[in-house]
Amino acid sequence: MSNRIRIFDTTLRDGEQSPGASMNVDEKLRVAHQLSRLRVDIIEAGFPMASDGDFEAVRTIAQQVEGPMVAGLARTSERDIERCFEAVRHAKRPAIHTFIATSDIHMKYKLKMSRDQVLAEAGRAVTQARSYVEHVEFSAEDATRSDWDFLREVFQVALDAGANTLNVPDTVGYTTPGEYGKLIEFLLANLRGMDKAVISVHCHNDLGLAVANSLMAVRAGARQVECTVNGIGERAGNAALEEIVMAIKTRPEVFGVETTIDTTQIYHSSRLLSQVTGMLVQPNKAIVGANAFAHEAGIHQDGVLKQRLTYEIMTPESIGLDQNKLVLGKHSGRHAFRDRLKSLGYELGEDALNEAFRKFKALADKKKEIFDEDLEALVAEQVQQTTPYRYKLNGCNVASGTDMLPTATVQMEIDGEPVKGTSNGDGPVDAALNAIKRITGTQARMLQYTVSSISGGTDAQGEVIVRLELEGKTALGQGAHTDIVVASAKSYVNALNKLEYRRQNWVNLEGEGQPPPREVGP
């Protein structure tokens, strides 16, 4: 058995299904290029049948991203598989990932299909997909709540039809490591022709066991792990790529396998995804959290100063976390600025670079020290402005104090037309956001408002995350600025633009005998 584990990254598909994490085509492309630098084996770029926007994103990634195999998700309907092939066909190594539910509860209540019908659908879908591409993955949705003998039967049909990968999803995060390991061993022992395919695992984190389950499956013989950066995904999320990869790298004597991941790109991948989705990583998150390599207890600090191995089982540098984060100042030149951005994984066109450099100089005049996180926030904002938007914030001025009613005046553009509005509020932030509401006429409801400091010091940029809801759709917005009121206004406008994008591009397409695409998946 091979000792190499394929990393199947589904950040852009299952990860994007996390509430508020919807990305547009340009944002998905940025993340896909970073996943290529991270050296994942397979990028699941999206669900082409879900919407025109998803189709375009998958097709663009297939055309422009080199290195990893590019896959699209499809249900077993002929229409889904055809649409998926049209999206991935231009990739150097295209793949189709098709799935159908196999648990009795899903077959009875969701699919309304018999076991024989599911078997027939699985075989027909894999056969169709193999007529288009060489690599086909078949997933048995809700595998861990399926009857084992029937699951084996379904997988055998898919294998005989030409599937290269058989995925065993823990769709609802129900299983435990011991159970999952035994299931993988059962399948490997009872499927004919497994020399032509590999077992893959896809775990959700509802019980907090996604990574543990995935690693147990690896020990049991699985040779592909499906995961997401930062563990984002539906409900409680998916197995976290960075945790799986670093566990394998840190404990080779336990797992006896390896990946091709460039671990020095892990931190940059995490930060980029947070910038694009506005979903911040909690400080105590394993591997990429702000506290992952922090030592506050005196006895820990003493030990680390004497020998890092006393309390660090991996180095910050191993995940790409530069210990000397102070990189640039107001006297730094354009060449140094470009080089530093490139080392962080950003390559801007000439016009975008010039504008970003101008904003960097303006920020350097306000801050004594410029940190990597400052640059990432600045470039994220610059890239956001290159993508289509309806609303643009041009200015925000607030008058506030202990003995006056806070008042804000906001200048914006809506569809390219300049507009201006003034409003009051309980505080300066409330006044600014009320002015934006008045100008745009939005009825969106705020579900979340979070403020954090990007770096240390009283001159630090504040990063604001807002989550808005409108007509059942949610979107997260992000903004950064040394003035927290301006950062709040930026994040609010960013969220409004994402809601508008979702409104224009979210077109559910009904499948034959199956529910809308966004409500299903391994």
Side-chain angles (χ1 to χ4, degrees), residues 102-113:
T102 55
S103 68
D104 289 333
I105 191 169
H106 274 237
M107 288 187 290
K108 179 179 179 179
Y109 294 105
K110 187 183 76 172
L111 298 181
K112 303 188 187 310
M113 296 171 68

Side-chain angles (χ1 to χ4, degrees), residues 341-380:
L341 290 184
K342 189 172 182 180
S343 73
L344 292 173
Y346 297 97
E347 294 193 36
L348 302 182
E350 201 65 23
D351 291 342
L353 179 67
N354 290 337
E355 180 62 16
F357 185 63
R358 184 189 67 78
K359 292 185 176 181
F360 157 70
K361 284 292 190 178
L363 180 61
D365 284 334
K366 298 177 181 178
K367 285 175 54 64
K368 295 178 181 178
E369 301 173 343
I370 304 295
F371 294 85
D372 283 354
E373 291 86 349
D374 292 314
L375 295 178
E376 289 167 341
L378 184 150
V379 175

Side-chain angles (χ1 to χ4, degrees), residues 263-268 271 287-294 308 315-325 340 372-373:
T263 63
T264 64
Q265 291 292 326
I266 284 177
Y267 181 72
H268 297 318
R271 282 290 301 170
I287 314 299
V288 294
N291 294 346
F293 296 96
R308 293 174 73 171
T315 66
E317 293 84 359
S318 68
I319 66 164
L321 183 57
D322 190 349
Q323 288 300 283
N324 182 15
K325 291 188 178 182
R340 189 54 191 165
D372 283 354
E373 291 86 349

Side-chain angles (χ1 to χ4, degrees), residues 121-139:
E121 271 290 285
R124 185 204 55 73
V126 172
T127 299
Q128 180 190 357
R130 271 306 301 265
S131 72
Y132 295 143
V133 298
E134 290 186 10
H135 191 92
V136 173
E137 174 171 330
F138 172 77
S139 286

Side-chain angles (χ1 to χ4, degrees), residues 187-482:
L187 292 171
L188 285 170
N190 290 280
L191 286 169
R192 302 182 310 274
M194 279 307 296
D195 57 312
K196 299 177 293 185
V198 300
I199 291 287
S200 177
V201 291
H202 178 118
C203 297
H204 281 263
N205 205 39
D206 298 69
L207 294 177
L209 296 172
V211 170
N213 286 334
S214 299
L215 291 172
M216 180 61 81
V218 167
R219 292 193 64 181
R223 285 300 176 261
Q224 176 174 294
V225 176
E226 308 193 359
C227 43
T228 63
V229 175
N230 294 342
I232 69 168
E234 290 184 283
R235 303 183 311 278
N238 289 48
L241 179 151
E242 60 276 3
E243 296 177 25
I244 290 168
V245 168
M246 292 308 292
I248 288 172
K249 180 175 181 176
T250 305
R251 299 301 306 276
E253 77 284 1
V254 173
F255 299 106
V257 295
E258 59 185 9
T259 73
T260 61
I261 294 295
D262 178 358
T263 63
T264 64
Q265 291 292 326
I266 284 177
Y267 181 72
H268 297 318
S269 302
S270 172
R271 282 290 301 170
L272 174 61
L273 186 65
S274 291
Q275 291 286 350
V276 168
T277 63
M279 299 181 71
L280 301 181
V281 171
Q282 69 268 28
N284 64 328
K285 167 75 170 66
I287 314 299
V288 294
N291 294 346
F293 296 96
H295 304 277
E296 183 171 339
I299 192 170
H300 285 209
Q301 292 174 345
D302 179 66
V304 169
L305 289 172
K306 291 174 180 176
Q307 169 53 258
R308 293 174 73 171
L309 289 176
T310 55
Y311 288 102
E312 286 186 357
I313 61 173
M314 67 194 94
T315 66
E317 293 84 359
S318 68
I319 66 164
L321 183 57
D322 190 349
Q323 288 300 283
N324 182 15
K325 291 188 178 182
L326 179 60
V327 292
L328 296 170
K330 66 179 181 180
H331 299 298
S332 299
R334 190 171 178 278
H335 182 74
F337 178 71
R338 184 205 295 266
D339 284 350
R340 189 54 191 165
L341 290 184
K342 189 172 182 180
S343 73
L344 292 173
Y346 297 97
E347 294 193 36
L348 302 182
E350 201 65 23
D351 291 342
L353 179 67
N354 290 337
E355 180 62 16
F357 185 63
R358 184 189 67 78
K359 292 185 176 181
F360 157 70
K361 284 292 190 178
L363 180 61
D365 284 334
K366 298 177 181 178
K367 285 175 54 64
K368 295 178 181 178
E369 301 173 343
I370 304 295
F371 294 85
D372 283 354
E373 291 86 349
D374 292 314
L375 295 178
E376 289 167 341
L378 184 150
V379 175
E381 179 181 315
Q382 180 60 31
V383 172
Q384 285 174 1
Q385 291 183 356
T386 66
T387 60
Y389 57 85
R390 185 180 183 199
Y391 306 113
K392 180 180 178 182
L393 180 69
N394 289 332
C396 178
N397 296 288
V398 178
S400 180
T402 57
D403 298 320
M404 64 181 299
L405 180 65
T407 304
T409 300
V410 173
Q411 296 87 35
M412 295 181 64
E413 290 179 23
I414 300 180
D415 297 327
E417 295 295 323
V419 290
K420 182 177 180 180
T422 299
S423 188
N424 301 320
D426 292 335
V429 170
D430 188 48
L433 300 191
N434 284 341
I436 295 172
K437 292 177 189 176
R438 177 171 294 181
I439 292 171
T440 60
T442 182
Q443 299 298 312
R445 184 167 61 97
M446 184 177 293
L447 303 179
Q448 174 189 346
Y449 175 84
T450 305
V451 181
S452 60
S453 173
I454 289 180
S455 57
T458 57
D459 64 348
Q461 287 197 96
E463 188 170 42
V464 176
I465 303 294
V466 300
R467 184 181 179 191
L468 303 183
E469 184 270 333
L470 181 64
E471 297 176 354
K473 298 179 177 65
T474 62
L476 283 168
Q478 177 267 347
H481 197 272
T482 52

Side-chain angles (χ1 to χ4, degrees), residues 113-174:
M113 296 171 68
S114 68
R115 289 189 174 189
D116 287 342
Q117 287 175 310
V118 168
L119 287 170
E121 271 290 285
R124 185 204 55 73
V126 172
T127 299
Q128 180 190 357
R130 271 306 301 265
S131 72
Y132 295 143
V133 298
E134 290 186 10
H135 191 92
V136 173
E137 174 171 330
F138 172 77
S139 286
E141 186 185 8
D142 204 23
T144 55
R145 293 195 296 174
S146 299
D147 175 79
W148 284 21
D149 288 328
F150 177 63
L151 187 63
R152 179 202 58 78
E153 192 176 358
V154 174
F155 278 138
Q156 192 65 63
V157 166
L159 189 59
D160 293 343
N164 315 93
T165 302
L166 302 178
N167 185 36
V168 189
D170 185 26
T171 304
V172 293
Y174 178 74

